[in-house]
Amino acid sequence: MKTYRLKIKPHSSFLTPWQADTIFGSLCWILSWREGADVLTQFLQEYKNGNPFFVLSDGLPGDLLPAPLHMSLRKSKGDNIEEYKKAKELKKVSWLSPETFESVRRGGIEVEVQNFSKSFRIFTTLHSSINRNTGTTGDEGSLFELEEFAIEAKELKTDTLSIYLKIKDGWEEKIASLFKDLSLIGYGKKRSVGKGSFEIVGALEPFNKFDNFGGANGFVTLSNFVPAKVDPTEGFYKTMVKYGKLGGEFTSSGNPFKKPIIMLNAGSVFYVKGDIKPFYGRIVEGVSPVKPEVVHYGYAFIVPVNIAI
């Protein structure tokens, strides 16, 4: 598998975070609409078998990368109050510049980090549901809030997201075309009113800054993921509960909600004994009470690291 980067520019705020599992699901629906359900079934079977055609990262702001979770635990010379304070500050860091990320992943101890905590702006907007009998708003209890996200362009001096992909040879054009079609219909919730609108900036570009190196003894993930039974278990991680929903035509299936899934967050770090694989994680089956064929993407886009603590 070769690594690529795809840059996208949102035209609006978005209600659905750019997380790898949701992006993958959107691309699957496009594949089904274009080539049929049977093609999608065969495609997903390879993922169930542990043989993915591509794995992808979350959508990351600009050139920033998730801070590896072991970073604040690294030992420096001396054990004093200043080192303790520094470790507490490092725990607050969510994003790293490419240069700092590279230093940390190669075992760097003394790093100066800039706080990019305002990489995304999160805000709520007030809406009112429409009475289907009268066609009007204003009924008691009709107001509701929606949480929206936007890149903090002024803070970061960029208005793009980066999605990193590891792709099997021969699949590059198909992946690019799937993303192109996704850009035409929009991403996530409320795309019919313009939310999740985006354009692709440039082409799918080769990216070689995540290559393996001598001394790597683990990996950091750039996407949320669900570990497979044989995946490493010793490491540093945070968890989240994903409350997924069915997409496409399945939204009107009677029960559009998937079962809750525990996932590990981007930035999680694990030790690896032996060779580091190009990806970890798995496909999760049995996630829908009404559509047994539905699965959930849980592969990790990983970057080799030297866990020096």
Side-chain angles (χ1 to χ4, degrees), residues 2 52 55-56 68 129 133 150 165-166 180 184 239 250 270:
K2 295 179 182 177
V55 295
L56 68 163
S129 58
N133 294 321
L165 304 103
K166 295 182 181 182
K180 179 64 177 178
L184 298 177
T239 62
F250 288 176
F270 287 89

Side-chain angles (χ1 to χ4, degrees), residues 29 245-257 290-291:
W29 272 110
K245 292 182 68 177
L246 303 182
E249 292 84 5
F250 288 176
T251 56
S252 57
S253 61
N255 181 359
F257 299 101
V290 295
K291 293 289 183 180

Side-chain angles (χ1 to χ4, degrees), residues 99-119:
E99 296 76 19
T100 304
F101 181 85
E102 183 64 17
S103 175
V104 171
R105 87 176 187 104
R106 290 182 178 270
I109 293 176
E110 294 296 337
V111 295
E112 293 296 328
V113 297
Q114 185 177 353
N115 190 351
F116 296 106
S117 60
K118 295 181 180 179
S119 53

Side-chain angles (χ1 to χ4, degrees), residues 59-68 71 89-102 104 111-122 150-158 160-161:
L60 309 176
D63 294 330
L64 299 183
L65 297 159
M71 192 172 66
E89 288 301 314
L90 287 175
K91 282 186 177 181
K92 301 176 184 177
V93 175
S94 300
W95 303 99
L96 299 180
S97 68
E99 296 76 19
T100 304
F101 181 85
E102 183 64 17
V104 171
V111 295
E112 293 296 328
V113 297
Q114 185 177 353
N115 190 351
F116 296 106
S117 60
K118 295 181 180 179
S119 53
F120 287 107
R121 183 162 51 94
I122 304 174
I151 301 172
E152 194 62 79
K154 186 176 180 180
E155 177 86 9
L156 298 180
K157 297 181 174 60
T158 183
T160 62
L161 294 171

Side-chain angles (χ1 to χ4, degrees), residues 7-148:
K7 286 189 174 182
I8 64 174
K9 179 181 178 180
H11 290 159
S12 69
S13 58
F14 42 92
L15 285 82
T16 302
W18 286 84
Q19 296 175 344
D21 52 336
T22 311
I23 300 170
F24 181 83
S26 300
L27 298 177
C28 285
W29 272 110
I30 291 174
L31 180 63
S32 177
W33 292 331
R34 287 194 339 189
E35 303 184 32
D38 290 342
V39 171
L40 177 62
T41 298
Q42 295 171 9
F43 172 83
L44 290 175
Q45 187 59 50
E46 292 300 311
Y47 279 80
K48 294 178 186 179
N49 295 339
N51 186 34
F53 297 105
F54 68 94
V55 295
L56 68 163
S57 75
D58 293 347
L60 309 176
D63 294 330
L64 299 183
L65 297 159
L69 291 178
H70 74 291
M71 192 172 66
S72 63
L73 301 177
R74 290 168 303 148
K75 296 178 181 178
S76 299
K77 294 179 180 179
D79 226 359
N80 54 46
I81 189 64
E82 292 303 319
E83 294 298 335
Y84 174 75
K85 289 181 179 179
K86 184 176 180 180
K88 285 192 68 175
E89 288 301 314
L90 287 175
K91 282 186 177 181
K92 301 176 184 177
V93 175
S94 300
W95 303 99
L96 299 180
S97 68
E99 296 76 19
T100 304
F101 181 85
E102 183 64 17
S103 175
V104 171
R105 87 176 187 104
R106 290 182 178 270
I109 293 176
E110 294 296 337
V111 295
E112 293 296 328
V113 297
Q114 185 177 353
N115 190 351
F116 296 106
S117 60
K118 295 181 180 179
S119 53
F120 287 107
R121 183 162 51 94
I122 304 174
F123 56 96
T124 58
T125 54
L126 197 62
H127 300 261
S128 181
S129 58
I130 297 175
N131 186 311
R132 297 186 182 276
N133 294 321
T134 65
T136 61
T137 62
D139 293 345
E140 184 178 353
S142 64
L143 290 177
F144 63 96
E145 291 182 342
L146 287 177
E147 187 175 65
E148 301 190 27

